[in-house]
Amino acid sequence: MSGHNKWSQIKHKKGAVDQKRSKLFSILARVIAVEAKKVKGDRSAPGLRAAIEKAREANMPNENIDRAITNATGAGAEDLQEVLYEAYGPGGVAILINGITSNKNRTSQEIKHLLAEAGAALAAPGAAAWAFDNGKAVTTIPSTPNLKEQVTNLVELLEEHEDVQNVTTNLSE
């Protein structure tokens, strides 16, 4: 009967919380790195300041923030790029997938594979973006319980990918 004592319960809960924080910190570090690379490490630049502030709101340690900036601006820095993928999911739902990656070819193939598993397809640039204005849906598709479940599962699957930052759909609530 393992897992029945108090310490085991605490250990499992702490492990789950730490795993979520670690994933969030890695996402925030990538955002900081991209912004730092754009402005060559100038902390007074608005984009980098906003990324640092967002990291501080998530209680990211200052040394992690400094390390992300140093790694982005130093010699041998990883070449991170922002990417935007457009897709059509179940029921014709338009999907925008924002991400940061060091290898566009690898990420696009992985996203394409995840979409195919869920019955969705990668679309050409501009094919799904017309349904959105500044990341918010302009036109929406009415939601049915089955369709909402399929799209929710697809969004969760995409958000688990390490390079994906944000997934937006035009499915009505």
Side-chain angles (χ1 to χ4, degrees):
M1 297 223 331
S2 66
H4 66 282
N5 66 20
K6 187 175 180 179
W7 170 242
S8 292
Q9 292 175 359
I10 291 171
K11 181 173 67 171
H12 292 298
K13 287 179 185 176
K14 183 175 176 359
V17 169
D18 287 349
Q19 186 177 13
K20 288 178 185 175
R21 284 185 71 199
S22 174
K23 183 172 182 172
L24 176 63
F25 287 176
S26 67
I27 289 171
L28 292 171
R30 284 177 159 221
V31 171
I32 290 170
V34 167
E35 290 298 325
K37 190 166 189 135
K38 283 181 188 175
V39 297
K40 296 180 177 45
D42 180 16
R43 289 177 181 254
S44 63
L48 183 55
R49 261 197 339 243
I52 291 172
E53 195 60 39
K54 190 173 181 181
R56 286 191 177 137
E57 287 173 10
N59 294 326
M60 186 173 181
N62 284 334
E63 57 192 45
N64 291 15
I65 294 170
D66 294 338
R67 190 177 328 117
I69 293 170
T70 303
N71 289 343
T73 57
E78 188 177 22
D79 185 26
L80 295 175
Q81 304 165 346
E82 290 182 89
V83 292
L84 173 67
Y85 297 107
E86 300 176 30
Y88 278 103
V93 174
I95 303 169
L96 290 181
I97 305 163
N98 295 314
I100 297 175
T101 183
S102 59
N103 186 337
K104 283 185 177 182
N105 292 333
R106 174 188 48 83
T107 302
S108 66
Q109 291 304 315
E110 290 173 355
I111 297 295
K112 191 175 183 180
H113 177 73
L114 291 174
L115 290 169
E117 283 181 348
L122 201 59
W130 65 269
F132 300 91
D133 184 30
N134 292 331
K136 295 184 180 179
V138 176
T139 61
T140 58
I141 293 182
S143 177
T144 62
N146 188 32
L147 181 61
K148 185 170 184 154
E149 181 182 333
Q150 289 176 335
V151 172
T152 302
N153 291 340
L154 174 59
V155 169
E156 288 174 0
L157 186 68
L158 289 169
E159 287 180 341
E160 287 176 7
H161 192 277
E162 64 184 23
D163 293 341
V164 174
Q165 299 291 314
N166 185 27
V167 179
T168 309
T169 68
N170 71 340
L171 186 65
S172 65
E173 299 296 324

